[in-house]
Amino acid sequence: RLINDVLDLSRLEARSMKLRADEGDLLPVIRPIVDSFRSLADQNGISLRFKTSSPEIRGVFDREKLETVIYNLVSNALKFTSPKGTVDVEVALADPEQGGTRWVSVTVTDNGRGIPADKLDHLFDRYYQVADADRHAGSGLGLALSRGLVHLHHGTITVTSSEHQGSSFVVNVPIDPQVFAPEELAEAQSPDHP
């Protein structure tokens, strides 16, 4: 996974990575990622919850890229949450913009150690690690890659955090086909497509 992250980040920076957005329901994509972390959460005494008020959220998105983003965010949240803590993953359809564009919002919130205010500006930098991450040290690639993938998807990723109170990462991505260039749609990339 680390090797793939390095390669993907290099492709993003070289602008050679392409979006491959296709129509589908986001919930069956995101829920299994959260579920894949359940045994780790249980093992560490962490309550991992998936929340949505929608039975389905259909739209156009790049499944593989959003899976990578959600995987990285949930993994980080679990790493920095103590036993008896909680990690919530909430998926919601955001209110349409003035032009009617539909967006999905994925929020990953934990009540873990939090991030010092002076570190927030560098959190999405490549290879950046919070100095006192001790046993939770990673490669410093996951958040940089996630930000790049979200931006490629014409979206935003933000973080709010308070030390000793936890962190909240919010990913907002458009899911309307008119947002994407024709070459970003999987249908246009199909070998059968003229």
Side-chain angles (χ1 to χ4, degrees):
R1 185 163 192 94
L2 180 59
I3 291 169
N4 286 338
D5 285 355
V6 170
L7 293 172
D8 284 346
L9 198 52
S10 296
R11 287 174 49 216
L12 271 170
E13 290 173 349
R15 299 183 192 275
S16 65
M17 180 177 281
K18 303 293 181 216
L19 206 61
R20 189 173 166 81
D22 204 358
E23 203 275 332
D25 182 357
L26 278 129
L27 297 181
V29 172
I30 297 172
R31 189 185 314 263
I33 295 168
V34 175
D35 288 343
S36 73
F37 284 101
R38 288 215 185 274
S39 63
L40 178 63
D42 291 346
Q43 201 174 3
N44 291 311
I46 297 169
S47 172
L48 176 60
R49 302 180 293 203
F50 178 82
K51 301 176 180 182
T52 185
S53 59
S54 304
E56 69 174 17
I57 299 178
R58 296 198 71 78
V60 175
F61 58 96
D62 187 314
R63 178 185 181 123
E64 183 181 311
K65 290 169 184 61
L66 286 184
E67 283 177 339
T68 299
V69 171
I70 303 308
Y71 180 92
N72 283 329
L73 294 179
V74 174
S75 174
N76 279 352
L78 287 169
K79 274 186 210 174
F80 296 103
T81 300
S82 300
K84 297 192 183 313
T86 60
V87 173
D88 292 326
V89 180
E90 186 168 1
V91 184
L93 193 57
D95 290 330
E97 288 185 335
Q98 200 167 11
T101 301
R102 293 174 346 126
W103 289 71
V104 69
S105 176
V106 180
T107 306
V108 179
T109 305
D110 66 69
N111 65 352
R113 67 170 47 183
I115 304 159
D118 63 329
K119 310 289 186 203
L120 287 175
D121 288 343
H122 302 287
L123 202 57
F124 294 103
D125 293 350
R126 183 186 233 202
Y127 303 123
Y128 182 77
Q129 298 173 359
V130 176
D132 62 349
D134 56 72
R135 68 181 180 90
H136 303 292
S139 64
L141 292 175
L143 291 177
L145 176 60
S146 294
R147 179 181 62 179
L149 293 175
V150 169
H151 288 173
L152 184 67
H153 210 287
H154 309 290
T156 61
I157 183 170
T158 57
V159 59
T160 55
S161 186
S162 298
E163 276 191 276
H164 311 296
Q165 294 180 16
S167 303
S168 182
F169 287 82
V170 180
V171 172
N172 288 301
V173 291
I175 56 172
D176 274 341
Q178 70 267 19
V179 172
F180 303 97
E183 62 272 12
E184 293 176 323
L185 298 172
E187 178 182 291
Q189 297 173 27
S190 167
D192 300 339
H193 197 276

